Amino acid sequence: MVSAPVENPAPTPDRRAISVLGSTGSIGRSTLDLVRQAPDSFEIAALTAFQNLDLLCEQAAEFRPKLAVIGDETLFEAAKSRLRGQGFTGEIAAGPSGLLEAGVGDAHTVVAAIVGAAGLAPTLAAVEAGKTVALANKECLVCAGDILIERATRSGATLLPTDSEHNAIFQVLYGRKQDVEKLILTASGGPFRNWPVADIAKATPAQAVAHPNWSMGAKISVDSATMMNKGLELIEAAYLFDMTESAVEIVVHPQSIIHSMVQYRDGSVLAQMGAPDMRIPIAYTLAWPDRMATTSPRLDFATLGALTFEAPDLHRFPALRLARNALKTGGTAPPVLNAANEVAVAAFLDGSIAFGAISRVVETCLDNHSGGGVSSLDDALAADADGRRRALAAVAAL
Ligand SMILES: NC(=O)c1ccc[n+]([C@@H]2O[C@H](COP(=O)([O-])OP(=O)(O)OC[C@H]3O[C@@H](n4cnc5c(N)ncnc54)[C@H](OP(=O)(O)O)[C@@H]3O)[C@@H](O)[C@H]2O)c1
């Protein structure tokens, strides 16, 4: 279980070396923005992109990492030519082995911000190397939560949740496990919270990625619109904080000011609040167990207005029910759910299927999958591959 009390934290280096897996994404760019603001506190050990070579080159020129990695191997020659051409003297690597190297290098903190199951192997490598891992990539916990937690326990790695909800819980989780009655994850409800169900089914990619409160990458924005994001976070919370499915409640809070809460057995509820700006939870993980100054917006309670709460609508957002069932089933169900969702979201974004079909594809894959346990990385990867195969077939059959 991840727990917050830090009476005697291990000494940390004065200037922390940070590896950013997925530096060209939304979380990666926010991380680098914080590093830019505190050059005396942080240096960059490694940066990784998948295909966005332009931005990787720009970031390498500014932050001068020891290692720059392009995930797509077909871009390796172009990456070498561009980076050397601009005078970059660090190491250049590509593909899965390059991503692994970025996870295990000499960084103090590895920011795991690759999107999807593609982030699992390098994140697991960082965990096995005993790093402090700032974990944004929720999909890797959904795919292989038990394995990641067990390896972290064995290696002494520190897992710091970056997802705003889990970061909030981490900040307000104190005391003994038996004192915690439940975790309450807040959800904005996404862009379609009040849309008629028939209109949601026909929503376009542009409408789905236009989140009312948060600026994020395309995949997680679509997940927020289906509310699968909250389903993935439910599974993430269960693994991170060692809670049962029934002890994690989801409540819709459209203002995204309270980022989540812990309810204790005496009836107390502790909440963490802040502006909806991912730089706040990222800063907490970069500076932990201290805090660092940020330029993020501050809450002004005099003008904030009402904070409202409502139960999630499972009819409108079936993904929440699918994720709860997958967590209850356990074993290969969560990785199959995740893989099917990744395939369905990609198909929606490229115009192959309608928004309303995303959850149907996931449900079909869960109904048909063969089940089984996940006790190794190979098991998780096999379940992921199975989910992808089934989802591609389901998309083709629509
Ligand atoms: N954005 C948020 O506010 C937020 C909040 C909480 C949690 N998260 C989680 O954080 C993770 C990242 O989200 P994001 O919004 O930052 O995503 P994003 O903007 O889409 O960025 C994804 C990053 O991963 C890289 N990438 C994509 N596919 C890859 C592959 N196959 N191999 C290696 N690298 C790959 C991308 O490289 P290229 O740019 O080169 O394609 C990019 O650097 C997700 O798991 C998400 O659920 C995000």
Side-chain angles (χ1 to χ4, degrees), residues 22-27 49-52 99 113-116 118 136-139 163 215-217 220 278:
S23 63
T24 49
S26 169
I27 293 288
F50 184 53
Q51 290 175 321
N52 192 344
L99 296 172
I114 290 174
V115 64
N137 178 310
K138 65 195 80 182
E139 295 92 343
D163 225 348
S215 163
M216 308 182 287
I220 184 177
M278 280 307 295

PDB file of all heavy atoms in Angstrom, residues 22-27 49-52 99 113-116 118 136-139 163 215-217 220 278, ligand 1:
ATOM      1  N   GLY A  22       8.181   9.916 -21.960  1.00  0.00           N
ATOM      2  CA  GLY A  22       7.024  10.586 -22.560  1.00  0.00           C
ATOM      3  C   GLY A  22       7.122  12.094 -22.405  1.00  0.00           C
ATOM      4  O   GLY A  22       6.136  12.770 -22.108  1.00  0.00           O
ATOM      5  N   SER A  23       8.349  12.622 -22.640  1.00  0.00           N
ATOM      6  CA  SER A  23       8.583  14.055 -22.371  1.00  0.00           C
ATOM      7  C   SER A  23       7.837  14.971 -23.337  1.00  0.00           C
ATOM      8  O   SER A  23       7.645  16.152 -23.042  1.00  0.00           O
ATOM      9  CB  SER A  23      10.084  14.363 -22.429  1.00  0.00           C
ATOM     10  OG  SER A  23      10.598  14.117 -23.718  1.00  0.00           O
ATOM     11  N   THR A  24       7.417  14.439 -24.499  1.00  0.00           N
ATOM     12  CA  THR A  24       6.744  15.287 -25.495  1.00  0.00           C
ATOM     13  C   THR A  24       5.232  15.350 -25.285  1.00  0.00           C
ATOM     14  O   THR A  24       4.537  16.053 -26.011  1.00  0.00           O
ATOM     15  CB  THR A  24       7.043  14.767 -26.914  1.00  0.00           C
ATOM     16  OG1 THR A  24       6.784  13.344 -26.931  1.00  0.00           O
ATOM     17  CG2 THR A  24       8.488  15.009 -27.301  1.00  0.00           C
ATOM     18  N   GLY A  25       4.715  14.600 -24.314  1.00  0.00           N
ATOM     19  CA  GLY A  25       3.274  14.601 -24.065  1.00  0.00           C
ATOM     20  C   GLY A  25       2.859  15.705 -23.112  1.00  0.00           C
ATOM     21  O   GLY A  25       3.681  16.529 -22.672  1.00  0.00           O
ATOM     22  N   SER A  26       1.591  15.695 -22.781  1.00  0.00           N
ATOM     23  CA  SER A  26       1.038  16.737 -21.910  1.00  0.00           C
ATOM     24  C   SER A  26       1.692  16.703 -20.520  1.00  0.00           C
ATOM     25  O   SER A  26       2.154  17.738 -20.003  1.00  0.00           O
ATOM     26  CB  SER A  26      -0.479  16.504 -21.823  1.00  0.00           C
ATOM     27  OG  SER A  26      -1.039  17.287 -20.843  1.00  0.00           O
ATOM     28  N   ILE A  27       1.773  15.521 -19.905  1.00  0.00           N
ATOM     29  CA  ILE A  27       2.418  15.413 -18.583  1.00  0.00           C
ATOM     30  C   ILE A  27       3.911  15.704 -18.697  1.00  0.00           C
ATOM     31  O   ILE A  27       4.493  16.406 -17.858  1.00  0.00           O
ATOM     32  CB  ILE A  27       2.189  13.996 -17.996  1.00  0.00           C
ATOM     33  CG1 ILE A  27       0.710  13.785 -17.680  1.00  0.00           C
ATOM     34  CG2 ILE A  27       3.068  13.761 -16.765  1.00  0.00           C
ATOM     35  CD1 ILE A  27       0.180  14.543 -16.486  1.00  0.00           C
ATOM     36  N   ALA A  49      10.624  10.370 -26.502  1.00  0.00           N
ATOM     37  CA  ALA A  49       9.439  10.659 -27.326  1.00  0.00           C
ATOM     38  C   ALA A  49       9.115   9.387 -28.098  1.00  0.00           C
ATOM     39  O   ALA A  49       9.909   8.442 -28.106  1.00  0.00           O
ATOM     40  CB  ALA A  49       9.749  11.791 -28.298  1.00  0.00           C
ATOM     41  N   PHE A  50       7.978   9.370 -28.751  1.00  0.00           N
ATOM     42  CA  PHE A  50       7.687   8.240 -29.642  1.00  0.00           C
ATOM     43  C   PHE A  50       7.981   8.655 -31.080  1.00  0.00           C
ATOM     44  O   PHE A  50       8.893   8.144 -31.708  1.00  0.00           O
ATOM     45  CB  PHE A  50       6.242   7.781 -29.469  1.00  0.00           C
ATOM     46  CG  PHE A  50       5.923   6.567 -30.288  1.00  0.00           C
ATOM     47  CD1 PHE A  50       6.713   5.430 -30.205  1.00  0.00           C
ATOM     48  CD2 PHE A  50       4.839   6.560 -31.153  1.00  0.00           C
ATOM     49  CE1 PHE A  50       6.430   4.293 -30.968  1.00  0.00           C
ATOM     50  CE2 PHE A  50       4.538   5.440 -31.920  1.00  0.00           C
ATOM     51  CZ  PHE A  50       5.335   4.309 -31.828  1.00  0.00           C
ATOM     52  N   GLN A  51       7.256   9.655 -31.596  1.00  0.00           N
ATOM     53  CA  GLN A  51       7.463  10.092 -32.979  1.00  0.00           C
ATOM     54  C   GLN A  51       7.716  11.585 -33.110  1.00  0.00           C
ATOM     55  O   GLN A  51       8.111  12.049 -34.182  1.00  0.00           O
ATOM     56  CB  GLN A  51       6.229   9.722 -33.826  1.00  0.00           C
ATOM     57  CG  GLN A  51       6.103   8.225 -34.034  1.00  0.00           C
ATOM     58  CD  GLN A  51       4.844   7.846 -34.765  1.00  0.00           C
ATOM     59  OE1 GLN A  51       3.785   8.422 -34.537  1.00  0.00           O
ATOM     60  NE2 GLN A  51       4.936   6.849 -35.637  1.00  0.00           N
ATOM     61  N   ASN A  52       7.472  12.327 -32.047  1.00  0.00           N
ATOM     62  CA  ASN A  52       7.580  13.788 -32.138  1.00  0.00           C
ATOM     63  C   ASN A  52       9.048  14.223 -32.025  1.00  0.00           C
ATOM     64  O   ASN A  52       9.502  14.729 -30.989  1.00  0.00           O
ATOM     65  CB  ASN A  52       6.724  14.453 -31.057  1.00  0.00           C
ATOM     66  CG  ASN A  52       6.578  15.952 -31.299  1.00  0.00           C
ATOM     67  OD1 ASN A  52       7.336  16.546 -32.078  1.00  0.00           O
ATOM     68  ND2 ASN A  52       5.617  16.558 -30.635  1.00  0.00           N
ATOM     69  N   LEU A  99      13.961   2.874 -24.447  1.00  0.00           N
ATOM     70  CA  LEU A  99      13.013   3.283 -23.403  1.00  0.00           C
ATOM     71  C   LEU A  99      13.374   2.639 -22.068  1.00  0.00           C
ATOM     72  O   LEU A  99      13.319   3.289 -21.013  1.00  0.00           O
ATOM     73  CB  LEU A  99      11.578   2.906 -23.807  1.00  0.00           C
ATOM     74  CG  LEU A  99      11.027   3.606 -25.055  1.00  0.00           C
ATOM     75  CD1 LEU A  99       9.686   3.009 -25.467  1.00  0.00           C
ATOM     76  CD2 LEU A  99      10.877   5.106 -24.825  1.00  0.00           C
ATOM     77  N   ALA A 113       5.356   8.858 -17.926  1.00  0.00           N
ATOM     78  CA  ALA A 113       4.288   9.630 -18.586  1.00  0.00           C
ATOM     79  C   ALA A 113       4.104   9.228 -20.042  1.00  0.00           C
ATOM     80  O   ALA A 113       3.672  10.021 -20.865  1.00  0.00           O
ATOM     81  CB  ALA A 113       4.570  11.126 -18.473  1.00  0.00           C
ATOM     82  N   ILE A 114       4.467   7.971 -20.369  1.00  0.00           N
ATOM     83  CA  ILE A 114       4.095   7.429 -21.685  1.00  0.00           C
ATOM     84  C   ILE A 114       2.620   7.069 -21.595  1.00  0.00           C
ATOM     85  O   ILE A 114       2.147   6.627 -20.551  1.00  0.00           O
ATOM     86  CB  ILE A 114       4.967   6.200 -22.016  1.00  0.00           C
ATOM     87  CG1 ILE A 114       6.409   6.659 -22.286  1.00  0.00           C
ATOM     88  CG2 ILE A 114       4.418   5.407 -23.196  1.00  0.00           C
ATOM     89  CD1 ILE A 114       7.402   5.535 -22.495  1.00  0.00           C
ATOM     90  N   VAL A 115       1.882   7.234 -22.678  1.00  0.00           N
ATOM     91  CA  VAL A 115       0.459   6.897 -22.631  1.00  0.00           C
ATOM     92  C   VAL A 115       0.272   5.421 -22.996  1.00  0.00           C
ATOM     93  O   VAL A 115       0.937   4.901 -23.883  1.00  0.00           O
ATOM     94  CB  VAL A 115      -0.362   7.820 -23.574  1.00  0.00           C
ATOM     95  CG1 VAL A 115       0.010   7.650 -25.037  1.00  0.00           C
ATOM     96  CG2 VAL A 115      -1.865   7.611 -23.375  1.00  0.00           C
ATOM     97  N   GLY A 116      -0.606   4.750 -22.253  1.00  0.00           N
ATOM     98  CA  GLY A 116      -1.009   3.397 -22.600  1.00  0.00           C
ATOM     99  C   GLY A 116      -0.064   2.314 -22.102  1.00  0.00           C
ATOM    100  O   GLY A 116       0.939   2.570 -21.432  1.00  0.00           O
ATOM    101  N   ALA A 118       2.074   0.775 -23.580  1.00  0.00           N
ATOM    102  CA  ALA A 118       3.444   0.940 -24.092  1.00  0.00           C
ATOM    103  C   ALA A 118       4.386   1.401 -22.985  1.00  0.00           C
ATOM    104  O   ALA A 118       5.599   1.198 -23.068  1.00  0.00           O
ATOM    105  CB  ALA A 118       3.456   1.949 -25.247  1.00  0.00           C
ATOM    106  N   ALA A 136       2.406   8.622 -13.713  1.00  0.00           N
ATOM    107  CA  ALA A 136       1.228   9.191 -14.380  1.00  0.00           C
ATOM    108  C   ALA A 136       0.509   8.116 -15.180  1.00  0.00           C
ATOM    109  O   ALA A 136      -0.705   8.141 -15.326  1.00  0.00           O
ATOM    110  CB  ALA A 136       1.642  10.338 -15.301  1.00  0.00           C
ATOM    111  N   ASN A 137       1.288   7.164 -15.702  1.00  0.00           N
ATOM    112  CA  ASN A 137       0.746   6.148 -16.612  1.00  0.00           C
ATOM    113  C   ASN A 137      -0.123   5.141 -15.860  1.00  0.00           C
ATOM    114  O   ASN A 137       0.362   4.142 -15.335  1.00  0.00           O
ATOM    115  CB  ASN A 137       1.923   5.436 -17.312  1.00  0.00           C
ATOM    116  CG  ASN A 137       1.459   4.333 -18.237  1.00  0.00           C
ATOM    117  OD1 ASN A 137       0.675   3.484 -17.842  1.00  0.00           O
ATOM    118  ND2 ASN A 137       1.927   4.334 -19.449  1.00  0.00           N
ATOM    119  N   LYS A 138      -1.441   5.441 -15.811  1.00  0.00           N
ATOM    120  CA  LYS A 138      -2.337   4.568 -15.047  1.00  0.00           C
ATOM    121  C   LYS A 138      -2.521   3.228 -15.731  1.00  0.00           C
ATOM    122  O   LYS A 138      -2.804   2.224 -15.093  1.00  0.00           O
ATOM    123  CB  LYS A 138      -3.683   5.265 -14.838  1.00  0.00           C
ATOM    124  CG  LYS A 138      -4.474   5.538 -16.086  1.00  0.00           C
ATOM    125  CD  LYS A 138      -5.596   6.541 -15.838  1.00  0.00           C
ATOM    126  CE  LYS A 138      -5.060   7.949 -15.841  1.00  0.00           C
ATOM    127  NZ  LYS A 138      -6.034   8.985 -15.558  1.00  0.00           N
ATOM    128  N   GLU A 139      -2.367   3.198 -17.082  1.00  0.00           N
ATOM    129  CA  GLU A 139      -2.624   1.947 -17.798  1.00  0.00           C
ATOM    130  C   GLU A 139      -1.679   0.842 -17.338  1.00  0.00           C
ATOM    131  O   GLU A 139      -2.042  -0.333 -17.354  1.00  0.00           O
ATOM    132  CB  GLU A 139      -2.494   2.154 -19.314  1.00  0.00           C
ATOM    133  CG  GLU A 139      -3.543   3.093 -19.924  1.00  0.00           C
ATOM    134  CD  GLU A 139      -3.079   4.558 -19.983  1.00  0.00           C
ATOM    135  OE1 GLU A 139      -2.094   4.909 -19.278  1.00  0.00           O
ATOM    136  OE2 GLU A 139      -3.697   5.337 -20.728  1.00  0.00           O
ATOM    137  N   ASP A 163      -1.355  11.044 -11.006  1.00  0.00           N
ATOM    138  CA  ASP A 163      -2.753  11.285 -11.356  1.00  0.00           C
ATOM    139  C   ASP A 163      -3.344  12.166 -10.249  1.00  0.00           C
ATOM    140  O   ASP A 163      -3.143  11.885  -9.053  1.00  0.00           O
ATOM    141  CB  ASP A 163      -3.480   9.925 -11.383  1.00  0.00           C
ATOM    142  CG  ASP A 163      -4.372   9.783 -12.586  1.00  0.00           C
ATOM    143  OD1 ASP A 163      -4.611  10.786 -13.271  1.00  0.00           O
ATOM    144  OD2 ASP A 163      -4.829   8.658 -12.845  1.00  0.00           O
ATOM    145  N   SER A 215      -6.508  20.251 -19.465  1.00  0.00           N
ATOM    146  CA  SER A 215      -5.875  20.174 -20.781  1.00  0.00           C
ATOM    147  C   SER A 215      -4.986  18.933 -20.775  1.00  0.00           C
ATOM    148  O   SER A 215      -4.022  18.848 -20.011  1.00  0.00           O
ATOM    149  CB  SER A 215      -5.046  21.450 -20.980  1.00  0.00           C
ATOM    150  OG  SER A 215      -4.140  21.252 -22.016  1.00  0.00           O
ATOM    151  N   MET A 216      -5.301  17.939 -21.635  1.00  0.00           N
ATOM    152  CA  MET A 216      -4.621  16.635 -21.553  1.00  0.00           C
ATOM    153  C   MET A 216      -4.394  16.085 -22.957  1.00  0.00           C
ATOM    154  O   MET A 216      -4.903  16.611 -23.936  1.00  0.00           O
ATOM    155  CB  MET A 216      -5.499  15.638 -20.777  1.00  0.00           C
ATOM    156  CG  MET A 216      -5.960  16.140 -19.425  1.00  0.00           C
ATOM    157  SD  MET A 216      -6.935  14.928 -18.513  1.00  0.00           S
ATOM    158  CE  MET A 216      -8.489  14.956 -19.405  1.00  0.00           C
ATOM    159  N   GLY A 217      -3.667  14.965 -23.038  1.00  0.00           N
ATOM    160  CA  GLY A 217      -3.471  14.285 -24.310  1.00  0.00           C
ATOM    161  C   GLY A 217      -4.795  13.733 -24.846  1.00  0.00           C
ATOM    162  O   GLY A 217      -5.788  13.636 -24.114  1.00  0.00           O
ATOM    163  N   ILE A 220      -6.402  10.242 -23.093  1.00  0.00           N
ATOM    164  CA  ILE A 220      -7.028  10.410 -21.771  1.00  0.00           C
ATOM    165  C   ILE A 220      -8.234  11.351 -21.866  1.00  0.00           C
ATOM    166  O   ILE A 220      -9.199  11.211 -21.113  1.00  0.00           O
ATOM    167  CB  ILE A 220      -6.006  10.887 -20.700  1.00  0.00           C
ATOM    168  CG1 ILE A 220      -6.669  10.958 -19.321  1.00  0.00           C
ATOM    169  CG2 ILE A 220      -5.343  12.169 -21.043  1.00  0.00           C
ATOM    170  CD1 ILE A 220      -5.749  11.344 -18.190  1.00  0.00           C
ATOM    171  N   MET A 278      -2.310  20.218 -13.768  1.00  0.00           N
ATOM    172  CA  MET A 278      -1.511  19.021 -13.466  1.00  0.00           C
ATOM    173  C   MET A 278      -0.130  19.361 -12.927  1.00  0.00           C
ATOM    174  O   MET A 278       0.541  18.509 -12.353  1.00  0.00           O
ATOM    175  CB  MET A 278      -1.387  18.136 -14.719  1.00  0.00           C
ATOM    176  CG  MET A 278      -2.605  17.275 -15.000  1.00  0.00           C
ATOM    177  SD  MET A 278      -3.132  16.265 -13.584  1.00  0.00           S
ATOM    178  CE  MET A 278      -1.751  15.155 -13.384  1.00  0.00           C
TER     179      MET A 278
HETATM  180  N1  LIG B   1      -2.525  14.684 -19.355  1.00  0.00           N
HETATM  181  C1  LIG B   1      -2.966  14.653 -18.136  1.00  0.00           C
HETATM  182  O1  LIG B   1      -3.417  15.665 -17.595  1.00  0.00           O
HETATM  183  C2  LIG B   1      -2.925  13.369 -17.337  1.00  0.00           C
HETATM  184  C3  LIG B   1      -3.455  13.358 -16.035  1.00  0.00           C
HETATM  185  C4  LIG B   1      -3.359  12.197 -15.286  1.00  0.00           C
HETATM  186  C5  LIG B   1      -2.799  11.059 -15.822  1.00  0.00           C
HETATM  187  N2  LIG B   1      -2.336  11.081 -17.096  1.00  0.00           N
HETATM  188  C6  LIG B   1      -1.755   9.858 -17.652  1.00  0.00           C
HETATM  189  O2  LIG B   1      -0.421  10.153 -18.061  1.00  0.00           O
HETATM  190  C7  LIG B   1      -0.084   9.411 -19.235  1.00  0.00           C
HETATM  191  C8  LIG B   1       0.328  10.390 -20.319  1.00  0.00           C
HETATM  192  O3  LIG B   1      -0.783  11.193 -20.655  1.00  0.00           O
HETATM  193  P1  LIG B   1      -0.633  12.474 -21.601  1.00  0.00           P
HETATM  194  O4  LIG B   1      -1.945  13.145 -21.577  1.00  0.00           O
HETATM  195  O5  LIG B   1       0.604  13.218 -21.224  1.00  0.00           O
HETATM  196  O6  LIG B   1      -0.432  11.755 -23.015  1.00  0.00           O
HETATM  197  P2  LIG B   1       0.068  12.411 -24.391  1.00  0.00           P
HETATM  198  O7  LIG B   1      -0.021  13.880 -24.338  1.00  0.00           O
HETATM  199  O8  LIG B   1      -0.637  11.687 -25.472  1.00  0.00           O
HETATM  200  O9  LIG B   1       1.638  12.014 -24.411  1.00  0.00           O
HETATM  201  C9  LIG B   1       2.016  10.674 -24.483  1.00  0.00           C
HETATM  202  C10 LIG B   1       3.516  10.536 -24.457  1.00  0.00           C
HETATM  203  O10 LIG B   1       3.841   9.152 -24.657  1.00  0.00           O
HETATM  204  C11 LIG B   1       4.633   9.015 -25.864  1.00  0.00           C
HETATM  205  N3  LIG B   1       4.233   7.771 -26.515  1.00  0.00           N
HETATM  206  C12 LIG B   1       3.065   7.515 -27.147  1.00  0.00           C
HETATM  207  N4  LIG B   1       3.052   6.252 -27.609  1.00  0.00           N
HETATM  208  C13 LIG B   1       4.244   5.698 -27.282  1.00  0.00           C
HETATM  209  C14 LIG B   1       4.847   4.431 -27.525  1.00  0.00           C
HETATM  210  N5  LIG B   1       4.215   3.442 -28.196  1.00  0.00           N
HETATM  211  N6  LIG B   1       6.098   4.215 -27.059  1.00  0.00           N
HETATM  212  C15 LIG B   1       6.758   5.197 -26.377  1.00  0.00           C
HETATM  213  N7  LIG B   1       6.238   6.426 -26.125  1.00  0.00           N
HETATM  214  C16 LIG B   1       4.990   6.668 -26.569  1.00  0.00           C
HETATM  215  C17 LIG B   1       4.317  10.232 -26.688  1.00  0.00           C
HETATM  216  O11 LIG B   1       5.368  10.510 -27.632  1.00  0.00           O
HETATM  217  P3  LIG B   1       5.051  11.392 -28.984  1.00  0.00           P
HETATM  218  O12 LIG B   1       4.663  12.755 -28.475  1.00  0.00           O
HETATM  219  O13 LIG B   1       6.330  11.390 -29.701  1.00  0.00           O
HETATM  220  O14 LIG B   1       3.923  10.697 -29.674  1.00  0.00           O
HETATM  221  C18 LIG B   1       4.228  11.300 -25.593  1.00  0.00           C
HETATM  222  O15 LIG B   1       5.515  11.672 -25.155  1.00  0.00           O
HETATM  223  C19 LIG B   1      -1.349   8.602 -19.591  1.00  0.00           C
HETATM  224  O16 LIG B   1      -1.231   7.321 -19.052  1.00  0.00           O
HETATM  225  C20 LIG B   1      -2.475   9.349 -18.899  1.00  0.00           C
HETATM  226  O17 LIG B   1      -3.548   8.521 -18.545  1.00  0.00           O
HETATM  227  C21 LIG B   1      -2.382  12.209 -17.851  1.00  0.00           C
END
